[in-house]
Amino acid sequence: MAGVSLQCGDCGTLLKSVEEAQEHAELTKHTNFAESTEPVLNLVCSSCGKPCRSRTESDLHTKRTGHAEFVDKTSEAITPISLEAPKASDDVIMEEAGDGSSSSQQEEMVVPEVDQKLLEELEGMGFPKARATRALHYSGNASLETAASWVVEHEKDPDIDEMPLVLLSSKNPEAPKPSLTPEEIKIKQQELRERAHKKKEEEEKQREREREKERIRVGKELLEAKRIEEENERKRFAFTLYILFYLHLKYIYIVYLLDFFCLYFNSMLALRKAEKEEEKKAREKIRQKLEEDKAERRRKLGMPPEDPTAAVKPSAPVVEEKKSSLPVRPATKAEQMRECLRSLKQNHKDDDVKVKTAFNTLLTFVKNVATNQNEEKFRKIRLSNAAFQDRVGKLKGGIEFLELCGFGKLEGGEFLFLPREKVDIAVLNTAGNELNSAINNPFFGVL
């Protein structure tokens, strides 16, 4: 296969034509070139039509513009490389200046041949003929899009509107034969050097801008990552404070609950002890009363006293010699209700659902009477009702609690009835409070 590109032996860059190889040599000082059968890539951006000659150039274009779709038109632009009319380089010009008398190597500058159809289309788009000819020549007559992209990229070149010239051998009789003086050769060399230097500076500036953009992007990403990390740290700190605060409140609640149970347990012990003392005093009084009645009956019957010492024995109770250190007071209505509910729960401690149902049913009866005092249907309960028996009647302590609220048996024990004049709102409120405490307190009846 014939060569379709020139490859630089120093850096491996693929070039389309001899002219590009000469420009590459001027920029990089590389002089080792060889023909290659590998074509130069022609990746055309689908969005803006810019041609890219390598993957690196397409990646750079994507990073700069965001365009990511490219059409591979490499096969359309493949043309065999021509080595017959290379663009004059500095070395060739110097050789011509040093050996200008040789008629066999005499060369002349002529306008390069370009695709006339593409040239007409570019002129129709509004480009000057010189600019269109230069674009088609340096883009290798590949396509209209490639030439237009070349014009856009090189529109700031100082000689963009000058007609390009290439060297042509004097054997061609149709080409004009202008000659260059040594001064013109030096000027041309200086222009080429300046152009190469300017192009190199522009490329360096472009690379610097790309590096600055990349640095800014990386800086923004680092700042965003740092902000996210700080936000996560604040969330973790706030969550830790919430957990600690929650545990602190829970600890305080447990301490208060334990204090409450301790006070409640102590008060219950004191109440039980006072009840036992009161019961003991009552039994002692009854015993003394029986002894006095017995002695009085014997006296009335004329019988001698059973124990002579018993007649003169003082009637003062022995229990009074030892006074209790705890205050003795009768049990209040609330304490009686509480004890009734506690016994109900302890008698049925294996069935919490039934106990809770009984408490809720009693609370419903109490609420109905308290809110509808004039309604007799709320103050009258049929004891033979199956639902009542299942929820309250069969449980020991349920009917007793209603009796403490003021209900009484009526009509031979068939009904529980609370007369209107015996409705005591204070007693009903106390019953409601005790039932609410029994329902909501999970430790009710445990102690």
Side-chain angles (χ1 to χ4, degrees):
M1 180 178 178
V4 294
S5 64
L6 289 177
Q7 185 175 21
C8 179
D10 297 322
C11 62
T13 304
L14 294 176
L15 304 165
K16 286 184 177 181
S17 61
V18 176
E19 290 83 358
E20 291 186 0
Q22 290 176 348
E23 291 182 1
H24 181 75
E26 292 173 3
L27 294 174
T28 61
K29 305 302 181 183
H30 297 166
T31 59
N32 185 14
F33 296 94
E35 288 187 76
S36 174
T37 57
E38 182 180 356
V40 179
L41 284 178
N42 185 21
L43 303 176
V44 181
C45 179
S46 301
S47 301
C48 62
K50 175 179 173 57
C52 299
R53 300 179 57 173
S54 63
R55 296 294 179 184
T56 303
E57 187 175 351
S58 63
D59 294 341
L60 184 61
H61 179 71
T62 300
K63 185 181 295 184
R64 183 169 60 251
T65 62
H67 302 163
E69 295 184 2
F70 294 88
V71 178
D72 191 353
K73 295 186 178 181
T74 305
S75 59
E76 299 177 5
I78 294 178
T79 56
I81 193 70
S82 176
L83 303 178
E84 296 180 357
K87 186 178 177 180
S89 63
D90 291 350
D91 297 336
V92 175
I93 294 174
M94 292 301 295
E95 289 176 3
E96 291 179 352
D99 193 14
S101 60
S102 176
S103 60
S104 61
Q105 297 181 356
Q106 186 177 359
E107 294 181 348
E108 300 174 356
M109 303 295 292
V110 296
V111 178
E113 294 182 1
V114 295
D115 192 327
Q116 294 300 321
K117 185 178 180 180
L118 296 178
L119 179 62
E120 291 176 0
E121 292 181 0
L122 286 174
E123 289 179 349
M125 295 171 62
F127 292 107
K129 183 176 181 179
R131 183 177 298 191
T133 303
R134 181 177 290 273
L136 288 173
H137 171 66
Y138 286 111
S139 62
N141 294 315
S143 63
L144 183 64
E145 294 81 1
T146 307
S149 299
W150 189 95
V151 172
V152 173
E153 293 178 358
H154 297 80
E155 61 181 355
K156 295 183 179 181
D157 291 353
D159 57 349
I160 187 65
D161 291 324
E162 296 180 4
M163 186 64 71
L165 299 176
V166 296
L167 291 176
L168 186 63
S169 174
S170 60
K171 295 179 180 180
N172 188 355
E174 299 178 358
K177 302 179 180 180
S179 60
L180 296 176
T181 63
E183 290 77 9
E184 291 176 343
I185 294 174
K186 291 181 180 180
I187 294 173
K188 189 66 177 178
Q189 290 177 349
Q190 184 65 25
E191 289 179 357
L192 292 174
R193 293 192 186 95
E194 290 177 356
R195 188 184 303 174
H197 182 70
K198 184 178 179 181
K199 188 174 181 180
K200 186 175 181 180
E201 288 181 351
E202 290 178 354
E203 291 178 353
E204 185 63 30
K205 289 180 181 179
Q206 181 66 23
R207 286 193 293 270
E208 184 64 28
R209 285 194 294 268
E210 294 296 333
R211 286 194 293 268
E212 183 66 19
K213 290 180 181 179
E214 184 68 16
R215 186 187 64 80
I216 294 173
R217 184 187 64 79
V218 173
K220 288 181 179 179
E221 291 179 355
L222 291 176
L223 290 176
E224 182 66 17
K226 185 177 181 181
R227 185 190 65 78
I228 295 174
E229 181 64 25
E230 291 177 354
E231 182 68 21
N232 293 336
E233 186 66 26
R234 284 195 295 270
K235 290 181 180 179
R236 287 194 293 269
F237 182 71
F239 180 74
T240 304
L241 288 181
Y242 172 77
I243 293 297
L244 293 177
F245 182 71
Y246 173 76
L247 294 177
H248 180 67
L249 290 180
K250 190 174 181 181
Y251 172 75
I252 294 175
Y253 172 76
I254 293 174
V255 171
Y256 284 159
L257 192 63
L258 291 176
D259 291 341
F260 170 76
F261 282 130
C262 290
L263 292 175
Y264 178 77
F265 184 71
N266 291 334
S267 63
M268 291 303 300
L269 288 179
L271 179 62
R272 292 290 180 87
K273 192 171 183 180
E275 290 176 352
K276 288 182 180 180
E277 291 291 337
E278 187 70 21
E279 185 180 356
K280 188 175 181 181
K281 287 181 181 181
R283 285 198 300 267
E284 185 64 26
K285 287 181 180 180
I286 292 172
R287 188 185 64 79
Q288 290 179 3
K289 184 65 176 176
L290 290 175
E291 291 291 338
E292 290 176 357
D293 291 343
K294 185 176 180 181
E296 183 66 22
R297 288 195 299 271
R298 294 177 71 87
R299 186 182 63 77
K300 287 182 179 181
L301 293 174
M303 297 177 64
E306 185 177 5
D307 188 1
T309 60
V312 297
K313 187 176 180 180
S315 59
V318 180
V319 181
E320 293 182 358
E321 296 179 359
K322 182 179 179 182
K323 296 183 179 181
S324 175
S325 59
L326 298 174
V328 179
R329 59 180 178 80
T332 62
K333 183 75 71 172
E335 293 172 346
Q336 294 176 4
M337 292 179 177
R338 190 182 307 120
E339 184 62 27
C340 183
L341 295 175
R342 184 181 295 105
S343 63
L344 189 151
K345 185 170 183 178
Q346 290 179 350
N347 290 332
H348 304 278
K349 59 184 179 180
D350 296 333
D351 195 347
D352 292 337
V353 176
K354 182 177 290 186
V355 172
K356 193 169 183 179
T357 302
F359 287 169
N360 288 322
T361 304
L362 292 173
L363 183 61
T364 303
F365 287 147
V366 172
K367 285 183 178 179
N368 290 337
V369 175
T371 55
N372 304 278
Q373 302 178 22
N374 298 323
E375 296 287 339
E376 182 178 346
K377 64 179 181 179
F378 295 118
R379 293 185 282 105
K380 191 172 183 181
I381 304 172
R382 183 184 296 274
L383 293 176
S384 60
N385 184 278
F388 175 79
Q389 285 293 325
D390 184 59
R391 296 181 179 182
V392 178
K394 293 182 180 180
L395 276 69
K396 184 178 180 181
I399 297 177
E400 290 80 353
F401 183 84
L402 293 173
E403 291 176 347
L404 290 174
C405 294
F407 285 87
K409 292 185 178 181
L410 187 67
E411 300 179 8
E414 184 178 356
F415 294 95
L416 282 178
F417 182 71
L418 177 60
R420 174 68 181 83
E421 61 274 7
K422 290 186 179 182
V423 175
D424 191 344
I425 297 297
V427 173
L428 294 177
N429 289 335
T430 301
N433 293 333
E434 295 299 329
L435 285 168
N436 282 325
S437 177
I439 293 172
N440 298 323
N441 187 359
F443 301 99
F444 182 81
V446 176
L447 299 177

